Amino acid sequence: GICLLFCGFCLLEAAVSVFCEAFNLCYVPRSCLFPVKMQAQKTDPPIWFPKIPQKVDLSRGAVLTQVGVTKDTFEAFFSKNETSSYAGYKWEMVDNKIYIYDMADTPHEGASGAFDFVFLKEAIRGGWDDDVIPLKSATWENPDPYQSNWQPDSSILPSRRVGPVGSRDKLRRYPTMVLEVASSETIDHVISKAKAYLGPDTTIQVVNVFIIRPTNIGADRLEVRKFERGQPLANPWSCSFADPACMRAGDPAFQLRLPVGLLFDSAPLPASLVGTSHVELDLFRWKQVYFRP
């Protein structure tokens, strides 16, 4: 009796469904004789986050955190953050392996911020501030599918520069000068990156490297290295912030000389710089800004 009752219900349901659909009166889901195939609910893939080890010791080099991560996944996460910093660390991907290579700490951020400030002040003083654009988030797209893109700590590009063909007008990808600051990063790692910035696939002409290290006398020590395209590496110099002679006002030994031709590359020179070979950044001013409360 129960079976007959169930079959009768199904036949009635089917008849009502056919009648309604035939006259476009309504729609009745068919659950008995004509079951509707259920579609699987689409779900977004889980969001990837870089994993942070319990202990991060960068004294011996970059720290491996994960393996098997794709470049698209890595870049998608950091493009949303618009920085290569996350949770106080600097990250990179090499051969689908994720590494922490430096700290995004106060010396690191303070050094790059002071550099941008002093550079722009010099541009204003010289009357060419409208001809340059300081950028924090310039990104060079590494063509290697197994290595992350590069994002220097600071970038400078001429405002009237024309990007290469196919640049999609994203001129921020084509700076002429970049700054790398290393606080916990090894010297070998930051120097290797600086040389790669001047590779054949980039438009970068000048790379400034500021290496800041704590010392046992209670003060940081600064080492500056400058790389120029087509030129041998200039001898680096360093001094301790505790030394009163370190970056004295007006001392020619602490002037960062930037070639105008490389700084503007293919862009038209500002009228105020025509006939000028170099612009100079006074690192005494950088030191003042760096230590400003």
Side-chain angles (χ1 to χ4, degrees), residues 56-123:
V56 177
D57 181 5
L58 298 170
S59 61
R60 297 183 178 180
V63 175
L64 176 65
T65 65
Q66 289 168 272
V67 297
V69 179
T70 67
K71 181 174 181 177
D72 288 344
T73 300
F74 181 90
E75 296 298 342
F77 176 84
F78 284 106
S79 64
K80 291 180 181 178
N81 289 273
E82 296 185 347
T83 177
S84 61
S85 300
Y86 172 70
Y89 298 105
K90 305 283 285 183
W91 303 77
E92 69 177 356
M93 188 190 82
V94 180
D95 296 330
N96 296 117
K97 300 175 182 178
I98 308 302
Y99 294 88
I100 294 174
Y101 68 90
D102 202 359
M103 304 285 291
D105 50 15
T106 299
H108 195 284
E109 302 305 315
S112 59
F115 182 89
D116 290 344
F117 180 86
V118 172
F119 180 87
L120 191 55
K121 282 292 185 182
E122 177 61 27

Side-chain angles (χ1 to χ4, degrees), residues 112-148:
S112 59
F115 182 89
D116 290 344
F117 180 86
V118 172
F119 180 87
L120 191 55
K121 282 292 185 182
E122 177 61 27
I124 293 173
R125 189 189 68 81
W128 44 275
D129 50 302
D130 287 338
D131 295 278
V132 290
I133 304 174
L135 285 174
K136 276 290 185 186
S137 57
T139 300
W140 180 74
E141 293 186 355
N142 193 333
D144 191 327
Y146 305 105
Q147 296 194 22
S148 54

Side-chain angles (χ1 to χ4, degrees), residues 147-269:
Q147 296 194 22
S148 54
N149 297 334
W150 293 339
Q151 192 173 71
D153 296 299
S154 179
S155 303
I156 303 295
L157 66 147
S159 58
R160 294 190 290 167
R161 181 176 188 167
V162 178
V165 175
S167 67
R168 295 172 292 173
D169 296 327
K170 293 184 178 180
L171 299 186
R172 66 191 311 161
R173 303 179 186 275
Y174 303 98
T176 54
M177 184 174 72
V178 300
L179 170 72
E180 279 289 337
V181 179
S183 55
S184 300
E185 182 179 2
T186 64
I187 294 179
D188 288 344
H189 185 272
V190 70
I191 296 305
S192 175
K193 188 189 302 181
K195 292 178 179 178
Y197 275 129
L198 297 176
D201 297 320
T202 81
T203 59
I204 298 168
Q205 307 295 316
V206 180
V207 181
N208 300 299
V209 174
F210 283 25
I211 301 170
I212 300 176
R213 290 288 191 267
T215 64
N216 57 8
I217 58 175
D220 289 344
R221 186 174 188 84
L222 172 70
E223 179 177 316
V224 176
R225 303 193 183 201
K226 184 179 64 168
F227 300 76
E228 297 177 6
R229 185 178 293 276
Q231 298 295 324
L233 174 63
N235 293 328
W237 56 263
S238 64
C239 62
S240 170
F241 291 141
D243 184 355
C246 180
M247 291 179 284
R248 292 174 297 185
D251 190 334
F254 300 111
Q255 304 294 316
L256 190 60
R257 291 171 54 83
L258 305 174
V260 170
L262 295 181
L263 186 60
F264 288 89
D265 194 22
S266 59
L269 285 181

